Amino acid sequence: MNCCNEKPIIELYSGEKLCKSHFIEYFENKVLKTIRQFDLIDKKENLGVALSGGKDSLTVLYILNKLSKQNPKIKINAIAIDEGIQNYRDKTLEKAKDFCHKNNLELHIFSYKEEFGLKLDGMLKILNVKPCTICGIFRRYLLNKKSKDLKLTKLATGHNLDDECQSILMNQLKNNIQASARLGPKVGLVHDEKFVQRIKPLYLCTEKEVTTYAFVNGLLDEFNECPNVPQSFRAQVRDVLNDLENKFPGTKYSIVNSFLQTLPLLKQQFKDEVIKVCIKCSESSANDVCNACIYLEKLRKSIEVI
Ligand SMILES: [Zn+2]
Ligand SMILES: [Zn+2]
C-alpha cells in the first residue's frame, strides 16, 4: 500500500511504500522515538557526534543538529579522527568539514599522526596486524580521551539496526556473550567517569532506511567503504543477514527486539565486571596496560631498531 498519491521512494519491511516527504517524517519520528524510548538524551547536554564522514554518522549529526535548534540547551560538537588512510579518510574528512561549515557546527579533528606520531599506513608497515584491529583500538581510545577533554556529556555514533544485528550474531557465533552485554542503544556495562557514555540514535533504523534518508538529504557520498575492509567476518555475517531479510522480511527487527528483551539480564549477569585503569595512560582498560599502550610500545620499539 502507498502512503499517498506521491511517487514512493522506499518500501518498508511491512510492505508499506512511502513517498519522500512521508518517509522523512517516518524516519525522523523513529529516531526521536528511539531517543525517548531508551532515554538517550537529557534536556541539557553537551553532546558529541563521532563523525566518520560516512552516511550513518552524517545522518546522526544532521538529525541531532535539527533537534538542538529546537532545544538550545543541547549543544552539538562534531568529532572526527584522522587515521591517515590515504585516498579514503582525506576525502571523507573533506565531506565532514564541508558539512560542518555549511551547518555552522564546530568540528574537532584529532589525527593519529599528531597524537601517536605515525599515520595508520605507517603503523601497518611496522605492526603485523589487521588494519581494522589497531584502527578500532586507537579510534576508541582517542574518541573517549578527547570526549573527556571536551567535557562531553555523551557521544553519539552512527550505528544502525544492521550493525547491531551483525554484532549480536557475531558474538553468538564466537560464543562471546559478555561482549553482547555491552551492546544496546546505550553502550557500556557500568556508568563510570572514565567512560563517556556512547549512544546510538539510529538503533532501530535499518541500513536501507539510513541510506535512503542520507540520499534525499544530500548526505550520501561515494567514499563510504574503508579500503581496509576485506571479506571480514562481519561482511559475511552481513550477507547472511541480508539474505535472510530478503526471504523473511522483518528478520533483523526480530533479532534486535528479542535481544533487547534479554539485554537487562545480560547486563545484570556481567555487572560486576570491574573497569580498571591503564597503569601507563590512566585510560580505562580491561587489563593493567590498555591495548592502545601495548601497540604504542611495540611501535616505539621497532622505530628505535630502525
Ligand atoms: Zn506520501
Ligand atoms: Zn594505556
Side-chain angles (χ1 to χ4, degrees), residues 141 277-285 288-294 296:
Y141 170 88
V277 173
C278 170
I279 53 170
K280 295 201 164 181
C281 70
S282 306
E283 284 295 306
S284 56
S285 168
D288 289 342
V289 180
C290 74
N291 283 328
C293 284
I294 291 173
L296 283 176

Side-chain angles (χ1 to χ4, degrees), residues 23 55-56 59 209-220:
F23 170 68
K55 65 176 190 337
D56 301 280
T59 296
E209 289 171 346
V210 179
T211 308
T212 307
Y213 186 83
F215 176 74
V216 296
N217 288 294
L219 306 172
L220 209 57

Side-chain angles (χ1 to χ4, degrees), residues 25 44-45 84 101 180 187 191 222 306:
E25 191 185 319
K44 191 177 177 220
E45 298 269 13
H101 181 71
S180 280
V187 182
H191 283 280
E222 63 267 49
I306 297 165

Side-chain angles (χ1 to χ4, degrees), residues 159-177:
H159 291 93
N160 61 40
L161 185 101
D162 287 50
D163 298 322
E164 186 79 353
C165 236
Q166 289 155 19
S167 300
I168 294 166
L169 204 55
M170 283 162 70
N171 291 340
Q172 294 275 1
L173 295 171
K174 289 188 166 172
N175 190 19
N176 191 3
I177 286 305

Side-chain angles (χ1 to χ4, degrees), residues 27-291:
F27 187 89
E28 291 179 354
N29 279 338
K30 195 173 187 176
V31 176
L32 292 179
K33 218 178 120 194
T34 306
I35 291 171
R36 271 199 306 272
Q37 185 183 343
F38 299 108
D39 197 20
L40 299 186
I41 297 175
D42 288 332
K43 289 195 176 69
K44 191 177 177 220
E45 298 269 13
N46 188 26
L47 275 185
V49 178
L51 210 54
S52 68
K55 65 176 190 337
D56 301 280
S57 59
L58 278 177
T59 296
V60 171
L61 184 59
Y62 184 84
I63 289 191
L64 292 185
N65 191 35
K66 262 190 166 182
L67 186 72
S68 82
K69 282 189 178 138
Q70 292 151 13
N71 303 270
K73 283 184 179 164
I74 297 175
K75 192 179 177 275
I76 307 284
N77 310 262
I79 304 184
I81 305 291
D82 181 4
E83 300 92 345
I85 310 171
Q86 233 180 10
N87 290 324
Y88 167 67
R89 181 56 78 221
D90 35 2
K91 285 175 184 158
T92 61
L93 276 178
E94 278 312 309
K95 179 98 183 166
K97 277 184 205 163
D98 190 45
F99 179 86
C100 290
H101 181 71
K102 276 185 191 144
N103 291 281
N104 217 358
L105 280 158
E106 206 168 335
L107 173 63
H108 308 267
I109 300 179
F110 304 101
S111 73
Y112 280 17
K113 176 88 181 142
E114 232 161 81
E115 301 290 331
F116 305 122
L118 272 176
K119 293 178 181 182
L120 179 71
D121 295 340
M123 292 178 176
L124 289 175
K125 287 185 188 130
I126 298 170
L127 297 172
N128 186 25
V129 287
K130 288 192 185 124
C132 302
T133 307
I134 33 175
C135 207
I137 290 168
F138 285 147
R139 199 181 142 75
R140 238 187 340 265
Y141 170 88
L142 270 189
L143 279 176
N144 194 51
K145 186 168 189 270
K146 297 302 175 182
S147 295
K148 284 190 291 183
D149 292 349
L150 292 168
K151 301 206 171 0
L152 301 181
T153 48
K154 281 171 191 141
L155 182 68
T157 62
H159 291 93
N160 61 40
L161 185 101
D162 287 50
D163 298 322
E164 186 79 353
C165 236
Q166 289 155 19
S167 300
I168 294 166
L169 204 55
M170 283 162 70
N171 291 340
Q172 294 275 1
L173 295 171
K174 289 188 166 172
N175 190 19
N176 191 3
I177 286 305
Q178 188 161 357
S180 280
R182 285 186 219 102
L183 294 175
K186 262 183 174 173
V187 182
L189 274 172
V190 283
H191 283 280
D192 195 291
E193 76 267 14
K194 292 187 278 296
F195 274 129
V196 174
Q197 172 102 67
R198 277 177 290 141
I199 54 168
K200 302 173 185 169
L202 305 184
Y203 193 78
L204 296 177
C205 303
T206 62
E207 172 91 23
K208 183 177 161 186
E209 289 171 346
V210 179
T211 308
T212 307
Y213 186 83
F215 176 74
V216 296
N217 288 294
L219 306 172
L220 209 57
D221 62 76
E222 63 267 49
F223 310 110
N224 269 332
E225 183 107 318
C226 173
N228 291 327
V229 174
Q231 265 307 85
S232 60
F233 184 48
R234 180 175 285 275
Q236 297 198 33
V237 170
R238 178 191 64 198
D239 294 346
V240 169
L241 279 167
N242 284 341
D243 189 38
L244 280 172
E245 180 69 34
N246 278 334
K247 287 175 187 151
F248 312 103
T251 296
K252 291 173 187 170
Y253 281 111
S254 294
I255 292 176
V256 166
N257 281 330
S258 54
F259 173 71
L260 281 172
Q261 290 179 46
T262 57
L263 188 57
L265 298 172
L266 283 179
K267 291 211 187 279
Q268 179 67 21
Q269 166 109 18
F270 294 105
K271 73 177 190 309
D272 293 333
E273 186 184 84
V274 192
I275 294 176
K276 289 191 207 165
V277 173
C278 170
I279 53 170
K280 295 201 164 181
C281 70
S282 306
E283 284 295 306
S284 56
S285 168
N287 304 304
D288 289 342
V289 180
C290 74
N291 283 328

